[in-house]
């Protein structure tokens, strides 16, 4: 059967719903029942992308990260483990919106003709999913597309998103000078554990870190990683895992008992369910600025939360005055950048390595000031989205990028890795620092933000510095801030400039926001359409918590006025 006919026959099984789709910063993400045709068509694009790149393996991840359990999503991973090349995103949108099976087949053929893709060339795809109940059904949709296009594929079943990114790079670099690691889930654990042991040789961890896994795929994968790590007595770290109930997918990102209580109450509306039910995971901790009820943390206890697919992490603790203290992606970026700078100095490599930090508009203004004035490092602000931060970080020898939500990593350029590998230390202390720096190049997952890798990175740094979380928190004082999610009728009417810090549309909206900001001491606020949800996110900072909350609410009111009523 001809390729076109195979696609037509397979596509009939996955009719397109009557709505428009857009491939955004996180791929496609929405209610799971809307996704079968989308996932099928992403499979077609993955096959074409692989053929265009001479049979290199393309990754497909089925996940909706921190979204509620009834949602799901799908995104593509390029051969080096990074996000899909931006120029291909419109093709994903075009495929997803083809109105008929015949139109889809025509778009598939047009893409191959325009880009001179040989349909008889080899095509390879690897894929995985998180723990959502809809995952297996969507995998079947993907496989239908891969079979229809005669694509070789490997199903890695349930993985964290960063693990799939790792496997994509490993698969495509095997046997080259850029070989990244063993092509297996076991290889991932072994690489991290070996690097962790090496980086902890001159340090000792104290206390326990309690990790909230959002009842997502990060729970079982962290459990598995722990098997490869040394115990605290052996020079490792003591990790306590909570919120790891993946046997009931509907518990993802939720605190189970509280959600059941709310569902049983006929007086609660859906908005209250969204607010009160979302009681675990990194997004809850960041947006609500309080610990998950299940953490039961005592003052000073070290705690961290992952998101649903384990590509974000935030730390937090309760201080002696019983005040919640958040250590988010901004804090992780400053901690990592400062430590890497210290290792550069101690190893004798400082003059050969440029270190830079990449942030988004969501970065707390105090962190930006600390990086510039205390660490004296260059900063670049980009639009929200991993693809923007990752690209900007590649301009430095060592590029540190973290979004405030806890998603980020560190990139080492080829020149930096060569300088580190060939450097000859002049003293035992330089040798120790060099060994730690070398280990960190393997401990850090350089393909994408990885909550498990970043957890170990933070634990290594805290151990070397002999710091409690209170020491880390004291490096600078965050400006009080608030992040609000505002549901609107049409998020696409909100357009931005200046790295998403100012609105260009709707007209007059930015003027209204500027007027409000001017009334608050140290006021700063912006609004931007979410790339993953039908909502607009409003961020506000001010001199006091009350002022930040008030400013956020007033800007949210402006957004509602210009964005219309949510459907």
């Amino acid at each position: 059967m001809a390729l076109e006919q195979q696609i037509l026959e397979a596509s009939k099984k996955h009719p397109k719903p009557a709505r428009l789709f857009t491939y955004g910063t996180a791929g496609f993400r929405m209610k799971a029942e809307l996704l079968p045709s989308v996932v099928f068509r992403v499979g077609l694009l993955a096959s074409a992308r692989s053929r265009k790149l001479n049979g290199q393996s393309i990754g497909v991840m089925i996940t909706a990260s921190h979204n509620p359990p009834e949602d799901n999503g799908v995104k593509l991973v390029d051969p080096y483990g990074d996000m899909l090349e931006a120029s291909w995103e419109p093709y994903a949108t075009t495929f997803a919106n083809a109105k008929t099976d015949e139109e889809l087949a025509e778009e598939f053929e047009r893409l191959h003709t325009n880009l001179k893709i040989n349909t008889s060339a080899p095509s390879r795809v690897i894929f995985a999913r998180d723990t959502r109940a809809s995952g297996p059904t969507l995998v079947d949709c993907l496989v239908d597309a891969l079979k229809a296009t005669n694509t070789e594929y490997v199903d890695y079943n349930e993985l964290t998103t960063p693990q799939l990114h790792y496997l994509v790079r490993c698969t495509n670099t095997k046997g080259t000078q850029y070989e990244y690691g063993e092509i297996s889930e076991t290889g991932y654990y072994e690489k991290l554990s070996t690097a962790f042991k090496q980086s902890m040789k001159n340090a000792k961890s104290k206390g326990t870190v309690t990790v909230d896994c959002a009842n997502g795929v990060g729970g079982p994968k962290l459990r598995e990683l722990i098997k490869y790590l040394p115990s605290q007595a052996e020079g490792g770290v003591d990790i306590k895992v909570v919120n790891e109930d993946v046997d009931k997918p509907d518990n993802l990102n939720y605190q189970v008992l509280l959600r059941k209580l709310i569902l049983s109450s006929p007086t609660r509306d859906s908005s209250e369910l969204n607010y009160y039910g979302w009681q675990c995971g990194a997004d809850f901790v960041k947006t609500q600025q309080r610990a998950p009820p299940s953490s039961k943390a005592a003052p000073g206890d070290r705690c961290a939360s992952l998101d649903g697919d384990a590509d974000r992490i935030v730390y937090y603790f309760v201080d002696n005055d019983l005040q919640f203290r958040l250590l988010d992606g901004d804090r992780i970026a400053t901690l990592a950048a400062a430590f890497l700078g210290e290792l550069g100095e101690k190893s004798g490599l400082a003059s050969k390595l440029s270190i830079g930090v990449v942030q988004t508009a969501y970065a707390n203004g105090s962190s930006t000031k600390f990086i510039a004035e205390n660490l004296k490092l260059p900063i670049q602000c980009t639009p929200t989205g991993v693809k923007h931060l990752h690209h900007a970080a590649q301009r430095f020898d060592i590029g540190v990028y973290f979004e405030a939500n806890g998603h980020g990593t560190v990139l080492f350029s080829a020149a930096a890795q060569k300088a580190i590998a060939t450097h000859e230390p002049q003293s035992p202390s330089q040798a120790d620092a060099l060994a730690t720096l070398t280990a960190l190049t393997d401990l850090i997952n350089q393909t994408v933000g990885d909550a498990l890798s970043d957890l170990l990175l933070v634990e290594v740094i805290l151990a070397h510095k002999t710091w409690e979380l209170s020491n880390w928190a004291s490096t600078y004082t965050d400006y009080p801030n608030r992040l609000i999610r505002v549901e609107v009728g049409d998020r696409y009417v909100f357009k931005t400039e200046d790295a998403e810090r100012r609105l260009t549309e709707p007209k007059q909206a930015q003027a209204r926001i500027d007027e409000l900001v001017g009334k608050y001491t140290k006021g700063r606020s912006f609004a931007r359409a979410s790339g993953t949800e039908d909502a607009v996110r409003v961020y506000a900072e001010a001199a006091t918590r009350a002022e930040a909350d008030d400013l956020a609410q007033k800007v949210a009111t402006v957004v509602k006025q210009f964005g219309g009523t949510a459907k």
Side-chain angles (χ1 to χ4, degrees):
M1 187 185 298
L3 189 62
E4 180 181 0
Q5 190 60 37
Q6 290 176 184
I7 292 172
L8 284 170
E9 289 298 318
S11 183
K12 290 177 183 178
K13 296 167 57 178
H14 311 290
K16 177 188 176 298
R19 64 161 288 171
L20 292 175
F21 303 104
T22 302
Y23 193 96
T25 55
F28 295 107
R29 193 179 294 178
M30 65 201 73
K31 299 299 180 188
E33 64 264 23
L34 296 171
L35 276 167
S37 69
V38 173
V39 174
F40 173 79
R41 295 163 185 219
V42 165
L44 299 182
L45 189 66
S47 73
R49 180 72 175 154
S50 177
R51 287 194 169 102
K52 176 63 178 175
L53 299 176
N54 301 313
Q56 292 187 83
S57 291
I58 298 299
V60 178
M61 186 69 200
I62 296 175
T63 180
S65 187
H66 61 278
N67 281 39
E70 61 268 22
D71 289 3
N72 216 323
V74 60
K75 57 186 174 182
L76 290 154
V77 182
D78 259 359
Y80 210 55
D82 45 0
M83 307 304 288
L84 175 68
E85 182 182 305
S87 65
W88 275 63
E89 291 180 5
Y91 304 141
T93 298
T94 298
F95 276 28
N97 290 308
K99 295 178 182 178
T100 65
D101 301 325
E102 290 75 17
E103 184 180 330
L104 175 62
E106 290 171 4
E107 291 293 351
F108 185 82
E109 182 179 0
R110 183 178 295 110
L111 177 70
H112 285 68
T113 300
N114 291 345
L115 298 185
K116 298 180 174 58
I117 300 172
N118 181 359
T119 56
S120 62
S123 177
R124 301 179 179 91
V125 170
I126 68 176
F127 59 88
R129 59 185 173 87
D130 66 14
T131 55
R132 293 165 194 273
S134 57
T137 297
L138 296 178
V139 162
D140 291 342
C141 302
L142 175 65
V143 169
D144 283 347
L146 301 180
K147 288 180 177 178
T149 53
N150 304 319
T151 298
E152 299 174 31
Y153 63 86
V154 179
D155 180 358
Y156 281 98
N157 298 303
E158 291 179 356
L159 291 177
T160 70
T161 293
Q163 286 178 322
L164 180 72
H165 283 255
Y166 163 87
L167 289 168
V168 171
R169 182 182 285 197
C170 290
T171 300
N172 289 302
T173 58
K174 184 70 174 177
T176 74
Q177 61 177 321
Y178 303 110
E179 190 164 317
Y180 196 63
E182 180 187 321
I183 309 172
S184 69
E185 186 179 344
T186 297
Y188 170 88
Y189 298 128
E190 290 178 341
K191 180 175 182 177
L192 291 192
S193 63
T194 298
F196 179 74
K197 292 171 189 175
Q198 178 64 36
S199 61
M200 288 289 285
K201 279 191 173 180
N202 298 304
K204 183 174 178 60
S205 175
K206 295 181 180 179
T208 299
V209 57
T210 298
V211 183
D212 154 35
C213 295
N215 294 318
V217 68
K221 301 312 179 184
L222 178 55
R223 284 283 184 195
E224 193 64 25
L225 174 59
I226 289 171
K227 296 177 183 177
Y228 292 81
L229 299 175
S231 67
Q232 194 168 59
E234 297 168 330
V237 60
D238 184 24
I239 301 173
K240 177 184 176 183
V241 182
V242 299
N243 291 329
E244 53 176 327
D245 185 4
V246 295
D247 294 328
K248 299 175 182 177
D250 282 352
N251 293 339
L252 178 68
N253 295 320
Y254 283 78
Q255 204 281 330
V256 185
L257 295 178
L258 190 55
R259 183 168 186 255
K260 286 181 178 176
L261 174 66
I262 293 161
L263 285 172
S264 67
S265 172
T267 63
R268 302 287 193 188
D269 66 22
S270 60
S271 64
E272 288 180 291
L273 173 61
N274 289 337
Y275 179 79
Y276 289 106
W278 202 288
Q279 295 287 309
C280 65
D283 197 60
F284 166 80
V285 173
K286 173 62 178 172
T287 58
Q288 300 302 320
Q289 300 200 19
R290 55 193 177 96
S294 55
S295 71
K296 298 180 174 60
D301 285 356
R302 197 160 75 250
C303 299
S305 284
L306 318 182
D307 68 338
D309 64 338
D311 65 356
R312 299 184 190 181
I313 186 170
V314 295
Y315 270 73
Y316 48 93
F317 69 106
V318 176
D319 65 20
N320 291 331
D321 296 323
L322 302 183
Q323 295 296 308
F324 175 77
R325 304 291 299 277
L326 176 65
L327 298 157
D328 60 7
D330 296 340
R331 294 281 186 173
I332 298 173
T334 58
L335 183 74
F339 187 63
L340 290 166
E342 291 168 10
L343 290 178
E345 291 286 350
K346 292 177 180 178
S347 64
L349 275 167
S351 63
K352 299 179 181 179
L353 301 174
S354 66
I355 301 176
V357 180
V358 184
Q359 297 184 316
T360 71
Y362 289 111
N364 192 279
S366 188
S367 73
T368 306
K369 183 178 179 181
F370 177 79
I371 294 166
E373 296 182 3
N374 293 72
L375 300 184
K376 301 188 183 307
L377 295 175
I379 304 164
Q380 183 167 349
C381 185
T382 74
T384 303
V386 176
K387 61 185 179 183
H388 301 297
L389 288 101
H390 197 91
H391 179 72
Q394 291 174 328
R395 298 170 185 165
F396 301 101
D397 292 327
I398 301 178
V400 181
Y401 77 82
F402 275 85
E403 294 180 286
N405 62 24
H407 186 285
T409 190
V410 180
L411 304 183
F412 296 84
S413 69
Q417 295 194 72
K418 181 178 180 180
I420 293 168
T422 59
H423 183 62
E424 296 184 5
Q426 302 300 306
S427 68
S429 62
Q430 282 196 1
D432 287 344
L434 181 63
T436 301
L437 184 58
T438 301
L440 292 185
T441 64
D442 282 332
L443 179 64
I444 296 166
N445 186 345
Q446 296 184 53
T447 65
V448 73
D450 183 340
L452 304 188
S453 166
D454 292 338
L455 170 72
L456 297 183
L457 172 64
V458 170
E459 291 300 315
V460 165
I461 298 173
L462 294 177
H464 273 269
K465 288 180 166 294
T466 65
W467 273 8
E468 304 288 343
L469 294 192
S470 56
N471 300 115
W472 182 8
S474 69
T475 52
Y476 62 88
T477 301
D478 278 322
Y479 297 142
N481 61 89
R482 176 62 68 199
L483 177 62
I484 295 178
R485 177 181 177 276
V486 183
E487 293 188 0
V488 295
D490 183 4
R491 61 174 157 148
Y492 295 107
V493 304
F494 293 88
K495 302 184 185 304
T496 63
E497 63 179 2
D498 189 22
E500 300 180 322
R501 289 176 285 196
R502 296 185 63 81
L503 288 172
T504 56
E505 295 182 22
K507 302 297 184 185
Q508 304 304 316
Q510 186 60 50
R512 293 274 299 278
I513 293 173
D514 290 342
E515 182 181 353
L516 290 170
V517 168
K519 297 177 181 179
Y520 295 84
T521 304
K522 296 183 179 178
R524 181 171 80 93
S525 185
F526 64 90
R528 60 170 288 274
S530 171
T532 59
E533 303 174 90
D534 291 323
V536 170
R537 298 189 183 275
V538 171
Y539 177 84
E541 287 178 5
T544 67
R545 162 64 60 207
E547 287 182 300
D549 290 346
D550 191 51
L551 176 58
Q553 292 293 344
K554 287 181 177 177
V555 173
T557 299
V558 172
V559 167
K560 290 175 183 177
Q561 290 170 348
F562 282 93
T565 304
K567 298 176 183 178

